[in-house]
Amino acid sequence: MTPDFTPHHDTEDRGEHICSKVIRAGKRTYFIDVKATRGDDYYLTITESRKRIDKDGYATFSRNQIYLYKEDFKKFAEGLDQMVEFVKCHKPEYFAADESLATTSIDEEFDNL
């Protein structure tokens, strides 16, 4: 599968920005952006930005990004829905309205690895 849009380097334009959603979650922030190619095809960028404090006390951010193209939207959404439903069935406490029910955050678990 060959995408219609090839991402450029960070200093170059990555496509027309259409819409964004920011999700703040502890030490991580997720950015979901809808962008358009020159041919007006939409694609998504999903970025995870994670704050880290270095040993000198300065904050740094690591960033991971994926591109999701129109031909993959349906399969990706179906797979994501299936995995979220699996977790809801096996760990319903993760979806409890009161976040204080969770004893350890995923950030804390990741940091302990």
Side-chain angles (χ1 to χ4, degrees):
M1 169 180 5
T2 303
D4 294 335
F5 178 80
T6 303
H8 300 285
H9 299 293
D10 286 340
T11 58
E12 297 178 19
D13 182 35
R14 291 183 177 225
E16 180 186 355
H17 180 264
I18 305 297
C19 168
S20 290
K21 175 73 177 174
V22 176
I23 303 162
R24 289 181 174 76
K27 293 179 183 178
R28 287 185 292 268
T29 301
Y30 300 97
F31 302 90
I32 303 171
D33 299 299
V34 177
K35 296 186 178 184
T37 65
R38 290 181 188 162
D40 201 35
D41 287 331
Y42 284 8
Y43 66 98
L44 299 176
T45 61
I46 303 169
T47 306
E48 174 204 38
S49 177
R50 183 168 176 156
K51 183 177 182 179
R52 297 184 185 268
I53 307 298
D54 67 17
K55 53 187 163 189
D56 296 328
Y58 293 102
T60 60
F61 293 89
S62 64
R63 186 180 92 169
N64 298 299
Q65 190 171 52
I66 65 167
Y67 291 81
L68 187 62
Y69 300 97
K70 66 181 182 180
E71 60 268 20
D72 302 325
F73 287 172
K74 182 178 179 187
K75 288 180 182 178
F76 186 88
E78 288 170 354
L80 181 61
D81 287 343
Q82 289 171 356
M83 294 298 98
V84 169
E85 285 304 314
F86 177 87
V87 174
K88 281 182 181 178
C89 289
H90 292 85
K91 296 287 187 177
E93 65 271 20
Y94 292 176
F95 296 88
D98 184 3
E99 291 188 27
S100 66
L101 295 176
T103 57
T104 306
S105 76
I106 193 84
D107 285 327
E108 292 168 327
E109 289 180 25
F110 185 81
D111 288 341
N112 290 332
L113 293 177

